[in-house]
């Protein structure tokens, strides 16, 4: 059989396991091991020799330490009440406008994403903070839940971002460059969501009533409360971009700073510290298990030569590079209906990455293509978090807003999805949106 045929069988069996509710990490590991066993002649010794080094080879990577550190930073921010300070700060400046409290929720999600790196954590945390306020001001259920579900996706769009770290590890790309490339698209995403809210409340003023205007004294107080959080973000990001700290060191500094802030602010005590450690351990274990499963699967696919054959077939097909890219993005959107973001990246990047690197897009260098594709993939993965029928962010927010039907929440995210598609279109045809800061700071 050809490599593409073998890879197709492996993926078909993998989908069956996922339908049977087998955890994604275990499913990928099982099918990878089965494929490796078949491709090495059905003998046990080769796969046993490979397995004895698999975990060490992956988990001894220094760069991978950045994942639990960013997760710990997010846990400290969650249990220390820093999310509430972020929301109050943005609300003080925007709450008096029509739809202002919903816009404040988007801004707070972006701010929390800058110290969290997880979309699900951002949606869950900001949902608990912002939903009571949105209800108090009489916002429609669809706008309130839709804005928070969409705003939660900024958790992985605004750096630091755990999926971007995974992408960097898989492709041997610079974490710092990827973080820098995500800044402008992340800001555009935030502003796009705010514009969607403005359009909705213009068409239906009752959907998002204006709140009272805050005094400058209240605004100054909110700024002082959130200043330490902003300082943590600046230290971490400037440290990475400025070159005086690598991503792992910057993440360690950020986690320690968030921990100190959470204790000093009075929001976290012994119980919060224990919950933060347990939450980080559980999330890290899940991610590392998925990483090991992906390594096993990708090794089997490499043995089958599927990625190489697929890349050669695409090049020989004479399809336009842009047609190939659009097809890949559509596949991501389809996978987002049935799969979580981390699994999508781990499953598809080893296959799609060689295809993209073998094509010419606007005469870009390999490094630029790698960064551009990483941001595009992240943006489409982000859509999967709010796209029916799965939409994990939608389910998280809907669970918090029990009085809002799930259908209303899905209706609420549709205008934000339209904003996402427009943003992807711009980035697709104007790669400089992602590459501008990279070229500016790295020559």
């Amino acid at each position: 059989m050809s490599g593409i045929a073998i890879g197709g069988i492996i993926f078909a069996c993998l989908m069956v396991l996922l339908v049977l509710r087998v955890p994604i990490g275990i499913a990928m590991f099982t099918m990878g091991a089965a494929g490796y066993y078949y491709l090495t002649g059905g003998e046990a010794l080769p796969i046993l020799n490979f397995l004895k080094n698999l975990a060490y080879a992956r988990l001894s990577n220094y760069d991978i330490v950045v994942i639990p550190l960013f997760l710990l930073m997010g846990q400290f921010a969650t249990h220390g009440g820093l999310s509430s300070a972020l929301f109050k700060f943005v609300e003080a400046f925007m709450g008096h406008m029509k739809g202002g409290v919903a816009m404040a929720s988007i801004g707070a999600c972006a701010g929390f994403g800058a110290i969290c790196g997880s979309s699900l954590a951002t949606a869950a945390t900001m949902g608990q903070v912002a939903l009571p306020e949105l209800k108090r001001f009489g916002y429609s259920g669809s706008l309130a839940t839709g804005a928070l579900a969409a705003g939660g996706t900024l958790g992985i769009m605004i750096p630091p971002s755990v999926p971007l770290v995974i992408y960097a590890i898989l492709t041997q790309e610079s974490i710092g460059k990827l973080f820098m490339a995500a800044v402008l698209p992340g800001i555009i995403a935030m502003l796009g969501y705010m514009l969607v809210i403005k359009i909705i409340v213009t068409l239906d003023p009752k959907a998002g009533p204006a709140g009272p205007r805050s005094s400058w004294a209240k605004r100054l107080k909110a700024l002082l409360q959130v200043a330490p959080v902003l300082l943590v973000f600046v230290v971490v990001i400037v440290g990475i971009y400025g070159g005086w700290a690598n991503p792992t060191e910057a993440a360690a500094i950020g986690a320690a700073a968030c921990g100190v802030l959470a204790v000093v602010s009075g929001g976290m005590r012994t119980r919060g510290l224990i919950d933060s450690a347990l939450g980080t351990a559980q999330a890290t274990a899940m991610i590392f298990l998925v990483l090991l499963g992906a390594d096993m699967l990708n090794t089997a696919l490499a043995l089958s030569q599927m990625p190489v054959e697929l890349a050669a077939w695409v090049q020989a097909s004479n399809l336009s590079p842009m047609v190939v890219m659009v097809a890949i993005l559509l596949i991501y959107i389809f996978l987002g209906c049935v799969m979580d973001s981390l699994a999508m990246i781990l499953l598809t990047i080893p296959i799609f990455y060689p295809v993209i690197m073998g094509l010419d897009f606007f005469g870009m260098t390999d490094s630029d293509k790698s960064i551009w594709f990483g941001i595009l993939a992240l943006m489409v993965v982000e859509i999967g978090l709010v796209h029916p029928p799965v939409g994990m962010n939608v389910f998280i927010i809907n669970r918090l807003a029990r009085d809002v039907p799930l259908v209303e929440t899905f209706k609420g995210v549709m205008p934000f999805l339209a904003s996402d598609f427009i943003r992807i279109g711009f980035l697709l045809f104007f790669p400089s949106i992602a590459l501008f800061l990279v070229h500016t700071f790295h020559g």
Side-chain angles (χ1 to χ4, degrees):
M1 286 190 293
S2 68
I4 292 180
I6 294 173
I9 293 172
I10 291 175
F11 271 104
C13 295
L14 175 62
M15 291 299 130
V16 171
L17 290 180
L18 293 180
V19 169
L20 295 175
R21 309 289 293 177
V22 176
I24 182 67
I26 296 173
M28 287 195 292
F29 189 91
T30 301
M31 292 318 305
Y36 193 101
Y37 181 78
Y38 171 79
L39 291 165
T40 52
E43 297 182 6
L45 192 58
I47 191 171
L48 291 175
N49 284 330
F50 175 75
L51 288 176
K52 70 180 183 182
N53 295 318
L54 174 65
Y56 179 79
R58 169 53 68 197
L59 302 182
S60 63
N61 185 342
Y62 176 72
D63 289 339
I64 208 172
V65 180
V66 76
I67 295 174
L69 287 174
F70 278 138
L71 290 173
L72 181 61
M73 188 163 68
Q75 287 285 333
F76 283 153
T78 301
H79 294 287
L82 303 181
S83 54
S84 178
L86 281 166
F87 177 75
K88 289 177 181 177
F89 166 67
V90 186
E91 185 188 26
F93 285 88
M94 304 184 73
H96 63 281
M97 300 185 294
K98 287 183 179 179
V101 181
M103 293 181 192
S105 302
I106 297 294
C109 284
F112 190 75
I115 54 173
C116 177
S118 166
S119 175
L120 300 182
T122 300
T125 304
M126 296 314 305
Q128 293 173 2
V129 173
L131 269 176
E133 290 296 300
L134 290 164
K135 287 182 181 178
R136 184 164 70 88
F137 286 108
Y139 276 64
S140 70
S142 60
L143 176 58
T145 55
L148 286 168
T153 64
L154 297 173
I156 63 171
M157 195 67 236
I158 302 287
S161 167
V162 172
L164 269 187
V165 173
I166 299 294
Y167 177 88
I169 292 171
L170 291 176
T171 60
Q172 301 298 306
E173 189 53 75
S174 164
I175 296 175
K177 288 184 178 180
L178 283 167
F179 280 3
M180 192 175 298
V183 171
L184 282 182
I187 293 173
I188 291 171
M190 179 187 70
L191 295 176
Y193 290 162
M194 289 182 176
L195 179 60
V196 167
I197 294 171
K198 182 65 175 177
I199 293 171
I200 290 173
V201 297
T202 300
L203 297 174
D204 182 11
K206 293 182 179 179
R213 182 182 294 271
S214 298
S215 66
W216 279 104
K218 184 177 179 181
R219 290 176 179 178
L220 181 60
K221 181 181 178 181
L223 176 60
L224 292 175
Q225 289 177 337
V226 82
V229 182
L230 299 177
L231 182 61
V232 170
F233 171 73
V234 170
V235 168
V236 171
I237 300 303
V238 172
I240 295 173
Y241 297 167
W244 57 264
N246 63 40
T248 305
E249 293 166 346
I253 293 169
C258 269
V260 171
L261 284 175
V263 172
V264 171
S265 68
M268 187 171 72
R269 292 293 179 261
T270 305
R271 183 71 254 173
L273 184 62
I274 294 173
D275 288 343
S276 296
L278 286 176
T280 302
Q282 290 167 352
T284 302
M286 181 273 292
I287 291 173
F288 282 6
L289 176 61
V290 176
L291 274 173
L292 292 177
D295 277 352
M296 187 74 252
L297 180 64
N298 295 335
T299 301
L301 292 176
L303 280 177
S304 74
Q305 295 292 300
M306 178 192 177
V308 176
E309 289 186 17
L310 185 60
W313 178 81
V314 170
Q315 288 177 323
S317 67
N318 294 321
L319 289 171
S320 163
M322 197 56 68
V323 170
V324 175
M325 178 65 86
V326 171
I328 288 174
L329 297 181
L330 290 174
I331 290 171
Y332 271 121
I333 292 172
F334 170 75
L335 290 176
C337 296
V338 295
M339 196 176 293
D340 68 82
S341 57
L342 186 62
M344 276 197 287
I345 288 177
L346 289 166
L347 195 60
T348 59
I349 292 301
I351 297 169
F352 292 154
Y353 187 76
V355 173
I356 295 300
M357 297 306 290
L359 299 173
D360 178 46
F361 293 93
F362 310 109
M364 286 192 290
T365 64
D366 285 348
S367 177
D368 283 352
K369 273 192 295 186
S370 177
I371 294 169
W372 176 58
F373 179 58
I375 302 303
L376 272 173
L378 182 72
M379 288 169 64
V380 184
V381 162
E382 165 197 322
I383 287 177
L385 293 166
V386 292
H387 194 286
V390 178
M392 290 301 297
N393 278 14
V394 174
F395 285 103
I396 286 174
I397 295 299
N398 195 257
R399 192 181 305 160
L400 296 173
R402 297 184 181 275
D403 57 327
V404 180
L406 183 60
V407 174
E408 285 298 307
T409 304
F410 272 119
K411 285 181 181 178
V413 301
M414 289 304 165
F416 298 97
L417 279 175
S419 171
D420 286 333
F421 285 120
I422 293 171
R423 176 163 41 94
I424 289 170
F426 273 109
L427 185 60
L428 191 59
F429 292 102
F430 301 100
S432 58
I433 295 173
L435 299 174
F436 174 75
L437 291 180
V438 179
H439 290 168
T440 300
F441 289 96
H442 287 274

